[in-house]
Structure formats: C-alpha cells, structure tokens
Amino acid sequence: MKFPSLFLSISLIFLGSYSLSSKDTKQTVSTETRVESILPSTPESGSPWGEDSKKLETIPILNLIDEKNSQKRWQDANKEYASAIDQFELGKKNIEKNREDSKKDVYYEDRYEWQKQIRRENKEKEFQKQIFDLRSQTVGKLVKGMNLLDKIENPKVKESAPYLDLKSGIYREYIKHQEAFKNYLQVIDFTHRYMELSSKNESEAEPHRLLALSYEKMEQTAIKSKNQELYYEFKELKKKHLLRFAEIHYGQDSKEYTAIAEKVGRDF
C-alpha cells in the first residue's frame, strides 16, 4: 500500500473538522504508549537499521560507456552518504566524551545542591543542542545525496543493485534522524519510500516497527485536534504495520504474533 493521502489532508488535523466522542478520546489518551510497550525498543540483531551504519564502497554501476554521468552522480552521492555517517559518528563520540568530562568539573562557587542541579541541567541543554545541530548538518548531507541520486534518470541504473542499495542506505539514515527529531510525518513518508524501493526492504521488520510507532503518534495528534477521520485512518495503519512487524520479527506461528494479533483484533 502506498503512503495514504496524508499530506493532502493533514491540515485537517489542525482544523479539527470532526469531533471524537469522549469515550474514544478517553480510551486512547489513557494508553498513549501502548505500541511502545509491546514492541522492541531497538532494531533486531543484524539489521541494517542497527547502531553501526553500513557504508558502501565506490564501485562501477554498469559497464556502459553512456552511463558515465550516472556513475559520477552515484559516486558523489556515496561520498555524501559516507561523509554523513562519519561526521555524525565522530561528532557524537566527541559530545559524549565532553559530557563525561564535564561530570568531573568542580565549581566551588556552587555551594548548594540546587545550584549544582541548575548547572548540570544547563550543561545538558548545551549537549542536546550540539547533538541537534550535528543531526541537522548530517541530514543536510543526506538530502544532498538524495538529490544527486534523483538526477540519475537512466532506468538501467535506477534498477541496479548499487543504486538501490545506496538510496536505501541514505533513506535509513535520514529516517533515523527524523525519528530522533520526532518528525513523525517525515518518518512515515520516507519509510514508505524506503519500502517501495524493493521487496527486500519491505520484508524487513524495522520499517514496520517505525511505522506502527509513528502512526500511533499521529493518532494521538488527531485525537488532540478532534479529527475523527484521520484518527481512524492512522489507527488502522498502525494496526496494519504492527501485525506486519510481528509477522516478520516473530513469525506467524509464534506466541508473540498471536498475542499481538489478539490485541489488534480487540481494536487495539
């Protein structure tokens, strides 16, 4: 299923054209983190979505003379992708080191515990801003890589494994950063794009886990905006991807799949 007509109707969330019943609102708000409570919090072992991002070697796309421009764009996109990964990993390590080092600092002018607490909170805000800025810079490189790949028009290149692997890798990194930013519409949009690239991508469990979580967040937004139409649309999509995740991750014959299917059947 392609991404729903979400961006055409998303403004309805804020307009609040429809009203939810008090029963629906009360029931759903009281269980805001239900999906998070039954899904793993991290990708499965060995998943390309894990902590260690996969970089690709610079390799020829196709052995065709008329593909030189396409190959150059692929190589440039791959450099942006590799640079984005290296920049973020190195930057994050430096921030974590500075965070640990800051714990050893002693400020003798802070005589009371509340003064120390305020200083710790201000320091943490600084580190969070640094991580935010680092993610923003990394996203900029990933978008540049996407744009380079989008300029490749030759159908043979666009169907080749190197092209699909690189585009999949860029999308994965972009999605992970958008999830950290809590930009759930971006997560939903690009996760659908990622799955549409290949049947292999669709058969990974992690995209469906991310979609189930993101659709629940949007479901909550629809509740707060009293938009009944989008509330039910997001709810059904959440259940669909929750089931698909359970099918891939646990297997249809597993007790975990059965338990999740029962929750979905009870209009989870």
Side-chain angles (χ1 to χ4, degrees):
M1 175 179 175
K2 286 185 174 290
F3 187 57
S5 56
L6 187 57
F7 288 100
L8 295 177
S9 57
I10 196 63
S11 59
L12 292 175
I13 291 181
F14 306 102
L15 294 175
S17 302
Y18 298 90
S19 296
L20 287 170
S21 69
S22 59
K23 180 180 178 182
D24 284 337
T25 305
K26 181 179 180 182
Q27 181 181 16
T28 309
V29 170
S30 65
T31 53
E32 284 187 348
T33 58
R34 292 176 304 177
V35 169
E36 292 176 358
S37 69
I38 64 174
L39 291 182
S41 58
T42 57
E44 59 202 312
S45 177
S47 167
W49 293 82
E51 288 294 324
D52 298 325
S53 299
K54 179 183 177 183
K55 286 181 280 190
L56 303 176
E57 296 297 329
T58 300
I59 57 176
I61 294 183
L62 293 172
N63 189 23
L64 298 172
I65 296 176
D66 61 348
E67 300 311 321
K68 285 184 178 179
N69 288 336
S70 296
Q71 184 168 315
K72 175 67 165 57
R73 285 169 178 155
W74 185 95
Q75 290 171 342
D76 289 344
N78 190 35
K79 287 177 184 176
E80 293 295 335
Y81 173 55
S83 175
I85 292 174
D86 290 340
Q87 172 182 283
F88 184 73
E89 289 179 350
L90 179 61
K92 189 176 180 182
K93 284 180 182 177
N94 289 336
I95 292 170
E96 290 300 327
K97 183 180 183 301
N98 292 338
R99 179 185 272 132
E100 290 302 312
D101 290 344
S102 72
K103 295 177 182 178
K104 302 173 187 176
D105 293 337
V106 177
Y107 298 90
Y108 294 102
E109 62 270 32
D110 293 345
R111 299 175 56 191
Y112 303 102
E113 183 57 35
W114 64 267
Q115 292 174 311
K116 297 176 183 178
Q117 181 64 26
I118 289 174
R119 189 180 293 277
R120 285 194 293 268
E121 290 174 356
N122 288 338
K123 276 286 184 183
E124 183 56 30
K125 287 178 182 177
E126 289 178 19
F127 293 131
Q128 290 298 327
K129 184 181 184 303
Q130 290 173 19
I131 291 175
F132 180 92
D133 292 341
L134 178 61
R135 287 191 187 279
S136 297
Q137 294 167 14
T138 303
V139 164
K141 286 183 172 292
L142 294 170
V143 170
K144 189 174 179 180
M146 288 183 206
N147 291 337
L148 284 164
L149 287 182
D150 287 343
K151 290 178 181 178
I152 296 175
E153 297 181 355
N154 187 284
K156 290 183 180 179
V157 175
K158 295 177 77 170
E159 292 171 3
S160 68
Y163 178 92
L164 293 174
D165 287 345
L166 180 55
K167 197 159 195 177
S168 294
I170 291 175
Y171 278 0
R172 276 195 301 270
E173 294 305 306
Y174 182 82
I175 291 164
K176 286 191 278 187
H177 289 296
Q178 293 302 329
E179 187 195 19
F181 285 143
K182 301 187 187 302
N183 290 338
Y184 297 112
L185 283 176
Q186 287 288 298
V187 173
I188 291 169
D189 183 16
F190 277 85
T191 303
H192 278 286
R193 295 191 197 194
Y194 175 82
M195 293 192 302
E196 289 167 5
L197 286 177
S198 70
S199 58
K200 175 179 172 291
N201 289 359
E202 194 282 332
S203 64
E204 294 171 359
E206 182 65 7
H208 300 283
R209 185 184 78 89
L210 290 170
L211 284 173
L213 289 166
S214 298
Y215 277 126
E216 182 171 73
K217 298 296 185 184
M218 297 311 301
E219 182 186 344
Q220 294 162 16
T221 301
I223 288 169
K224 293 173 184 176
S225 301
K226 299 181 180 180
N227 189 300
Q228 188 178 47
E229 184 179 24
L230 283 175
Y231 163 71
Y232 286 115
E233 181 179 2
F234 291 137
K235 186 175 184 178
E236 290 306 308
L237 288 165
K238 173 192 73 176
K239 293 193 292 184
K240 171 189 171 182
H241 290 286
L242 187 58
L243 272 178
R244 182 65 175 138
F245 169 84
E247 177 187 358
I248 297 170
H249 187 72
Y250 299 115
Q252 282 188 317
D253 297 330
S254 66
K255 61 182 180 181
E256 291 87 354
Y257 177 86
T258 301
I260 290 175
E262 289 177 353
K263 287 180 179 292
V264 170
R266 294 198 298 268
D267 202 28
F268 174 81

